[in-house]
Amino acid sequence: FAKAGGRGAMAAHNTVHDIPCHANSWLLNDVFRAELGFGDGLILSDCNDLGVLVDYRIAANRTQSAAKGLKGGVDQDLMCGSSEATWSYTNANVQAALDLGMLDEATVNASVARVLKQKFEAGLFEQPLVDESMAATLNTDDDQALARRAAQEGTVLLANDGILPLKLTSGTSKLTVLGPLGSCDDSAAAEWLGVDVRSADDGHPDDDGYVSSCESVAWAYLGSYTQWAVDNGVEVPTVADALVASLATKSMDVPITTAMGVPVTGSGGNTSA
């Protein structure tokens, strides 16, 4: 990553060797920066994950989470939401950590230097505002094609005994999608929802940018969005040419089993199987 020119990285939600990544100095400083050569690259937190150190119970409060994050190698706090109560890297928290001896100035200065270095190299001090004309170069047809290819090649099918893709006859006109996520159009994206990229004139009846299981199956096999057919409050037709299961629940804290017998475990957010 570093050899390829990567200069910024985000710590992960999870733990490594029972220590959350956002407070894991061995992982971020010893392995990532030193052994793997990331050096003085910028490491930022995932959304409010420094504050989550309190939930992990390795920090008693946001002052301690700020100290553990900075010592752990995280330079910047991705502060989500408008409530400072959920933020860790505030002036007050960092100063309190210094005053209480949880943190030393050398550690703070090292992180500040890494942040400023990236800003200087990006030219943010010379041109702090974005060039709005560059918006026309984003989300092009080539961008969309590459995104689709990345999604397709990054998909892992855990089991397929020949049932996929569905072998529908030329006369198939109705598909029934069963399951609580059949009509949920953001389930596949979980907590990470992108911006609306679907144009309003592409023939799709819904232009909010997200696609449900029912929609995607209908478009893939019928060529158009022809029917809502799910079992959660929407009428299920008595006759259908094919049946598709969408069995996951919106929040899964224990393993569930899909129709194909593949165990799936969710841990927050909306999760699809």
Side-chain angles (χ1 to χ4, degrees), residues 11 18 63 77 80 104 116 127 130 159 161 167 185 192 201 233:
D18 295 328
T63 295
D77 185 1
C80 300
D104 58 64
L116 291 177
Q127 187 177 350
V130 67
D161 296 328
K167 299 174 180 62
D185 62 4
W192 298 272
D201 58 355

Side-chain angles (χ1 to χ4, degrees), residues 153-196:
E153 294 185 6
T155 300
V156 177
L157 185 61
L158 298 181
N160 182 15
D161 296 328
I163 193 172
L164 297 175
L166 295 178
K167 299 174 180 62
L168 305 181
T169 66
S170 58
T172 299
S173 61
K174 291 182 179 179
L175 295 172
T176 294
V177 177
L178 297 178
L181 288 188
S183 62
C184 183
D185 62 4
D186 61 0
S187 60
E191 300 169 278
W192 298 272
L193 300 181
V195 297
D196 179 7

Side-chain angles (χ1 to χ4, degrees), residues 1 10 15 36 42 50 68 77 107 130 144-145 149 155 168 171 176-177 180 183 204 217 220 222 228 238 264:
F1 177 72
M10 176 178 285
T15 64
L36 300 183
L42 178 71
L50 287 163
K68 286 181 176 288
D77 185 1
T107 300
V130 67
Q144 287 292 306
R149 178 184 169 192
T155 300
L168 305 181
T176 294
V177 177
S183 62
H204 197 286
V217 169
L222 302 182
W228 276 104
T238 55
V264 179

Side-chain angles (χ1 to χ4, degrees), residues 62 111 134:
R62 296 297 189 270
S111 280
M134 294 296 293

Side-chain angles (χ1 to χ4, degrees), residues 18-256:
D18 295 328
I19 301 176
C21 291
H22 287 72
N24 199 324
S25 181
W26 169 81
L27 178 68
L28 299 184
N29 291 324
D30 299 344
V31 177
F32 191 40
R33 291 193 189 279
E35 293 182 28
L36 300 183
F38 191 63
D40 59 0
L42 178 71
I43 297 179
L44 70 154
S45 76
D46 208 336
C47 185
N48 284 340
D49 267 5
L50 287 163
V52 173
L53 295 178
V54 176
D55 300 324
Y56 272 116
R57 296 192 175 119
I58 71 162
N61 48 51
R62 296 297 189 270
T63 295
Q64 196 171 43
S65 68
K68 286 181 176 288
L70 285 165
K71 290 193 293 186
V74 179
D75 303 309
Q76 207 165 23
D77 185 1
L78 177 56
M79 302 171 181
C80 300
S82 58
S83 173
E84 289 193 24
T86 64
W87 302 347
S88 292
Y89 286 7
T90 63
N91 291 339
N93 288 339
V94 174
Q95 186 61 58
L98 289 168
D99 294 341
L100 293 170
M102 298 178 181
L103 190 62
D104 58 64
E105 288 189 15
T107 300
V108 177
N109 289 340
S111 280
V112 170
R114 288 191 289 261
V115 172
L116 291 177
K117 183 176 186 292
Q118 298 305 316
K119 290 187 175 183
F120 275 117
E121 291 183 352
L124 294 180
F125 290 97
E126 292 77 18
Q127 187 177 350
L129 301 179
V130 67
D131 181 358
E132 294 184 7
S133 67
M134 294 296 293
T137 68
L138 303 176
N139 196 27
T140 63
D141 290 343
D142 287 342
D143 295 334
Q144 287 292 306
L146 180 60
R148 178 179 291 274
R149 178 184 169 192
Q152 291 171 335
E153 294 185 6
T155 300
V156 177
L157 185 61
L158 298 181
N160 182 15
D161 296 328
I163 193 172
L164 297 175
L166 295 178
K167 299 174 180 62
L168 305 181
T169 66
S170 58
T172 299
S173 61
K174 291 182 179 179
L175 295 172
T176 294
V177 177
L178 297 178
L181 288 188
S183 62
C184 183
D185 62 4
D186 61 0
S187 60
E191 300 169 278
W192 298 272
L193 300 181
V195 297
D196 179 7
V197 296
R198 183 189 297 155
S199 63
D201 58 355
D202 65 357
H204 197 286
D206 183 2
D207 63 356
D208 66 1
Y210 309 118
V211 181
S212 68
S213 299
C214 192
E215 291 176 272
S216 60
V217 169
W219 275 68
Y221 290 102
L222 302 182
S224 63
Y225 177 68
T226 59
Q227 173 126 19
W228 276 104
V230 294
D231 68 352
N232 54 339
V234 181
E235 181 180 358
V236 178
T238 55
V239 178
D241 299 308
L243 174 67
V244 179
S246 178
L247 300 178
T249 60
K250 287 190 177 183
S251 179
M252 298 181 294
D253 296 317
V254 295
I256 67 167

